[in-house]
Amino acid sequence: MNKAYLFLAVAICAEVVATSFLKASINFTKLVPSIATFAGYGISFYFLSLALVVLPTGIAYAIWSGVGIVLISVIGWVIFGQSLDAPALVGMGLILVGVVVINVFSKSVAH
């Protein structure tokens, strides 16, 4: 795997963890989840910046945000008991298809 994609994967995972803790921080009134939120976003942006050395900004951001949306939605469903209706699932499926299309067919992506 290209190192830039490894950095991007770490950035995505850190962002998903940070967003999960953001929900748990209850408007930054809980200390540990609040600290974890700030740390997670810091790690995420640092690794995203490393990925941007190689990957085009628009491509990296599309992957980072798209995969992040899907993962945080799944976590919201599994951990926080939030519901996902059919339009939400279809929309997330389209996001994933978009990420695959970018990675498989775009000449802008470093392979």
Side-chain angles (χ1 to χ4, degrees):
M1 177 196 273
N2 187 325
K3 204 181 221 184
Y5 282 105
L6 179 61
F7 293 150
L8 187 56
V10 172
I12 292 166
C13 290
E15 186 267 337
V16 168
V17 169
T19 302
S20 298
F21 276 108
L22 181 62
K23 167 90 171 144
S25 76
I26 309 173
N27 297 327
F28 297 111
T29 60
K30 304 291 182 187
L31 182 62
V32 173
S34 297
I35 291 170
T37 297
F38 286 112
Y41 283 126
I43 292 165
S44 179
F45 284 121
Y46 174 72
F47 279 93
L48 180 60
S49 74
L50 294 177
L52 291 176
V53 171
V54 174
L55 299 173
T57 305
I59 301 295
Y61 191 75
I63 296 168
W64 180 73
S65 60
V67 173
I69 288 168
V70 172
L71 290 176
I72 199 63
S73 295
V74 170
I75 287 172
W77 174 58
V78 171
I79 294 176
F80 298 113
Q82 299 169 347
S83 64
L84 296 172
D85 60 9
L89 293 170
V90 169
M92 285 186 281
L94 291 170
I95 290 169
L96 288 176
V97 168
V99 169
V100 170
V101 167
I102 287 170
N103 282 290
V104 173
F105 299 108
S106 176
K107 295 189 186 340
S108 300
V109 178
H111 291 282

